[in-house]
Each structure stands twice: as C-alpha cells, then as structure tokens.
Amino acid sequence: MGKRGVGSVFCFIASFLFSARYISTAIFMSGLSSTWNSELFASGLEYVGTPLRTLSIISFLIGVSYLIWAEVSELRK
C-alpha cells in the first residue's frame, strides 16, 4: 500500500472516530425521557469524554501528513 492509501485510511479512521463520539453520546442519551436541547447534548458529550476526539485529530494529522508526503515525493520525481 502506498503513501496515498495509508493517508486515506488514516483520514477514514479519523472520520469514523469523530462520528463515533457523537453516536455514542446519542446512544447514551437515548434512555432519557425528557426532550433534548443543545445544553443537554453538550453535557452528554462531556460525559463521553475527549479520547475519541483526540484520537480522531491525531489520525487526521497523520493522514494529511502521509498525503502531503506522497504529493511531495511525486513532485520530486
């Protein structure tokens, strides 16, 4: 697998982790009987925590780095 493929996979992992944070918050809050609002959802996001967001940012940066590396090495050929 080339650098572009690895970069694309890391970007996909980043999008999956980013969306998993919101999906897990929605699943966590699905048992609530009251109506949802933005403050309640923000509280749910705080309960889920930041590891998924942190890992998604790291994965995205690695993926973009690989894509840039692939383009730079292609231009140098």
Side-chain angles (χ1 to χ4, degrees):
M1 182 180 293
K3 293 175 192 145
R4 287 187 183 113
V6 172
S8 299
V9 167
F10 270 105
C11 287
F12 173 75
I13 290 170
S15 65
F16 178 77
L17 291 172
F18 188 78
S19 63
R21 180 174 182 239
Y22 289 97
I23 291 171
S24 61
T25 302
I27 291 170
F28 168 70
M29 296 181 62
S30 66
L32 297 178
S33 60
S34 63
T35 59
W36 289 16
N37 59 20
S38 60
E39 294 173 3
L40 186 61
F41 195 75
S43 297
L45 282 174
E46 287 180 19
Y47 181 79
V48 170
T50 59
L52 289 174
R53 181 177 58 190
T54 304
L55 290 174
S56 69
I57 291 170
I58 291 170
S59 296
F60 179 72
L61 292 175
I62 292 171
V64 169
S65 299
Y66 265 97
L67 291 173
I68 291 172
W69 185 18
E71 292 301 318
V72 168
S73 59
E74 182 69 28
L75 288 174
R76 290 188 180 179
K77 283 186 180 180

